[in-house]
Amino acid sequence: MATALIEYADASPEVRAVYDDIMTTRKIDWINNFWKALANDPATLKRTWEDIKQIMAPGALDALVKEMIYVAVSVSNGCDYCIATHTAAARKKGMTDAMFHELMAVTGMANESNRLANGYRIPVDEQFK
Amino acid sequence: MATALIEYADASPEVRAVYDDIMTTRKIDWINNFWKALANDPATLKRTWEDIKQIMAPGALDALVKEMIYVAVSVSNGCDYCIATHTAAARKKGMTDAMFHELMAVTGMANESNRLANGYRIPVDEQFK
Amino acid sequence: MATALIEYADASPEVRAVYDDIMTTRKIDWINNFWKALANDPATLKRTWEDIKQIMAPGALDALVKEMIYVAVSVSNGCDYCIATHTAAARKKGMTDAMFHELMAVTGMANESNRLANGYRIPVDEQFK
Amino acid sequence: MATALIEYADASPEVRAVYDDIMTTRKIDWINNFWKALANDPATLKRTWEDIKQIMAPGALDALVKEMIYVAVSVSNGCDYCIATHTAAARKKGMTDAMFHELMAVTGMANESNRLANGYRIPVDEQFK
Amino acid sequence: MATALIEYADASPEVRAVYDDIMTTRKIDWINNFWKALANDPATLKRTWEDIKQIMAPGALDALVKEMIYVAVSVSNGCDYCIATHTAAARKKGMTDAMFHELMAVTGMANESNRLANGYRIPVDEQFK
Amino acid sequence: MATALIEYADASPEVRAVYDDIMTTRKIDWINNFWKALANDPATLKRTWEDIKQIMAPGALDALVKEMIYVAVSVSNGCDYCIATHTAAARKKGMTDAMFHELMAVTGMANESNRLANGYRIPVDEQFK
């Protein structure tokens, strides 16, 4: 059976603290299923949230670019849940239709040319070693 | 045996026309091995170049963001040739060390959380359907 | 359309013999959909079952460890059917919640660090060659 | 360290029997490294060879089509060893340059459109359910 | 939310021209969801259709072999939409049950042996370099 | 070009602290290339090490089982560096030849049956939902 989803009302103080930080950081008032499932393992919930919080914060790359990279990886891996949630997150951060279309085109093309490079057994150019 | 690499001097006029367009478009004076290998099949060479030329041109996303998406996909797929060339291309377009580090962190994290979502069999939230 | 599922009552003697061996070996009284689908091709049904029977039998690794390895691979590949069935099989063989959580954590981490190793283009250490 | 390769001269009778069958079946007088590595585990050597012998034999699909499917999968997965050996095997069975080029084009295109279908979250048409 | 599907009646002349060419080329009177989703980005719709039209046309490989290669890749990548549609397309082009079963057997075997080659770290034979 | 590897002698105090903790925790006197590459980004070095230290510590699963799961994932993904290092780590923690052979057999089989389940489009049994 699928993993139980732990609601805020049923969560331990340890889990609630993570939920609170997620909602505060993201300025939202609800928790999506990813976290409610990880809450079955509070250590993984906390570690994963702290990692994502650190990694996805704006830095040398802005938050929208980071979300689009997340979408590109999730699409390449075929993770339905991740595609749905990170595409929504990218939209919320300003991804327009035109940006989404280009993101898909690049992701598709990269997946194609990766295989052409594999199949033709192309040696790395001296310039790139 | 690995695919023969077709040098400019040995190329047909049809292949040379593509090589010329690659060098003009990218403002470079050499051709990397990917194209020299595809040149064994001029139809694929031409189609792939025209696709990449269209897709990678700046649009709603700038050229550097597109290159970084290409790197994220290539890293997820483990394509050595593509990682080497597109990382170099991103550097040339302005990717700093800090940007590269964040690109890797997001790519790694996405690959991790994709599997947590798979393994915990998390249903897509109503909000994201 | 999806593959027809061949029930015991409708199966040929050849297919029934495999179904019987599955139920005897696993000490169960029903057949799951994987085998009912493969039964459309009796040669593949028989070969796949005999392979799995040989491979999943306790040996140098116990049956539970083998099931957890199966889950880790299925999660990495994003095979929904396989995740559902092999997680259930691992539970039946004694996987506790705590073991499942650690299995997911290791699987997620491995998927992340695989990509960091790819992206940073890390050469294999002399000690590991 | 990499796996030891077991040469015919050093092989047990059990392993030699498999090697002999490989050479007889394929009408060759040498063994490639895949089998020499698997020979460290005679049970896996025997099982894998018998599976491949059964699966790759001409049937409803001819031997060349089967080799090209093998190449398409190996290219999608990025398995260097498998790409090298199965491309050579396909060549030996009659794959021309033109066939190889089309095989690569289809493999590349499928990898691209797989991701477009993922990213656009396209529902399966009623007609195909 | 999932991508909107653009019906013929609601499509721009540019999109209708592609839809018409798809129906004419394939001798069908309806458009499947893949194209209706891509129609949100007419440039990608047109480019992808023209690529597929060129690549999937009979050449050195016949149309059925090409569809089966498409299926093998889609199965390896786990793309549900692509598996459903390209399996149906292969059936329409003449793939029998026996051919489908062999296609699956080869695809499964290739995915297995790809990992054995990876895990045993098998060096490419001199003959295949 | 490949990532620079940062030796202990050239490392900042922040990086040295991580290197010291790696060597102490693992009871070794050298640092492998993975960490020397990540050291270019001290934040990722520290986060990744702390994650791995937490995740790979013995818990409900022992350290050897965890390493074998790591190998299974790395083999499935085709990450050469990770296969080499985690196979060595598993050996060090007690993986015998027989255990390695069974690990490979299960990993290969899972990769095969994942694709059979995909290709036959098998619905999840009610019992496993």
Side-chain angles (χ1 to χ4, degrees), chain E residues 22-33:
Chain E
I22 292 171
M23 291 189 286
T24 302
T25 302
R26 295 186 165 174
K27 298 183 176 59
I28 53 176
D29 61 358
W30 64 291
I31 294 292
N32 60 297
N33 290 344

Side-chain angles (χ1 to χ4, degrees), chain E residues 10 15 41 63 68 81 104-105 114-115 123:
Chain E
D10 306 319
V15 166
D41 177 12
M68 291 193 296
Y81 184 80
M104 287 303 101
N114 280 194
R115 274 60 182 215

Side-chain angles (χ1 to χ4, degrees), chain D residues 5 8-9 12 14 21 23 48 51 62 73 96 103 107 109 119-120:
Chain D
L5 301 174
Y8 191 94
S12 67
E14 183 184 9
D21 194 34
M23 291 189 287
T48 305
D51 286 355
D62 67 43
V73 171
T96 62
L103 171 59
T107 300
M109 187 73 233
Y120 279 93

Side-chain angles (χ1 to χ4, degrees), chain D residues 53-124:
Chain D
K53 187 181 174 182
Q54 178 185 3
I55 290 167
M56 298 303 282
L61 300 179
D62 67 43
L64 174 53
V65 166
K66 289 184 173 184
E67 280 295 349
M68 291 192 296
I69 292 165
Y70 224 108
V71 171
V73 171
S74 302
V75 164
S76 297
N77 289 334
C79 175
D80 291 342
Y81 184 80
C82 313
I83 294 169
T85 52
H86 287 279
T87 301
R91 293 275 189 195
K92 199 173 161 191
K93 286 175 182 160
M95 182 175 70
T96 62
D97 282 354
M99 294 166 84
F100 173 69
H101 297 149
E102 295 190 12
L103 171 59
M104 288 302 101
V106 176
T107 300
M109 187 73 233
N111 272 289
E112 179 177 26
S113 70
N114 279 194
R115 274 59 182 214
L116 293 174
N118 288 346
Y120 279 93
R121 305 176 63 198
I122 303 176
V124 176

Side-chain angles (χ1 to χ4, degrees), chain B residues 21-100:
Chain B
D21 193 35
I22 292 171
M23 291 189 287
T24 302
T25 302
R26 296 188 165 173
K27 298 184 177 59
I28 52 176
D29 62 358
W30 65 290
I31 295 293
N32 62 297
N33 289 344
F34 182 72
W35 307 111
K36 290 182 189 168
L38 291 194
N40 289 281
D41 178 12
T44 290
L45 173 71
K46 186 167 160 37
R47 186 185 62 247
T48 305
W49 164 243
E50 289 177 356
D51 285 355
I52 286 186
K53 186 180 174 182
Q54 179 186 2
I55 290 167
M56 299 303 281
L61 300 178
D62 66 44
L64 173 52
V65 166
K66 289 184 172 184
E67 281 295 349
M68 290 192 296
I69 292 166
Y70 224 109
V71 171
V73 171
S74 302
V75 164
S76 297
N77 289 333
C79 176
D80 292 342
Y81 184 80
C82 313
I83 294 168
T85 53
H86 287 279
T87 302
R91 291 275 189 196
K92 199 173 159 189
K93 286 175 182 159
M95 182 174 70
T96 62
D97 282 354
M99 293 165 84
F100 173 70

Side-chain angles (χ1 to χ4, degrees), chain F residues 49-86:
Chain F
W49 164 244
E50 288 178 356
D51 286 355
I52 286 186
K53 186 180 176 182
Q54 179 186 3
I55 291 168
M56 299 303 282
L61 300 179
D62 67 42
L64 173 53
V65 166
K66 289 185 172 185
E67 279 295 349
M68 290 192 296
I69 292 166
Y70 225 108
V71 171
V73 171
S74 303
V75 164
S76 297
N77 289 333
C79 175
D80 293 342
Y81 184 80
C82 314
I83 294 169
T85 52
H86 287 279

Side-chain angles (χ1 to χ4, degrees), chain C residues 1-2 43-44 47 50-51 54-55 127-129, chain D residues 1-2 43-44 47 50-51 54-55 127-129:
Chain C
M1 73 200 171
T44 290
R47 186 184 62 246
E50 289 178 356
D51 286 355
Q54 179 186 4
I55 290 168
Q127 291 90 332
F128 299 139
K129 278 186 181 164
Chain D
M1 74 201 169
T44 289
R47 186 184 63 246
E50 288 179 355
D51 286 355
Q54 178 185 3
I55 290 167
Q127 291 90 331
F128 299 138
K129 277 183 180 165

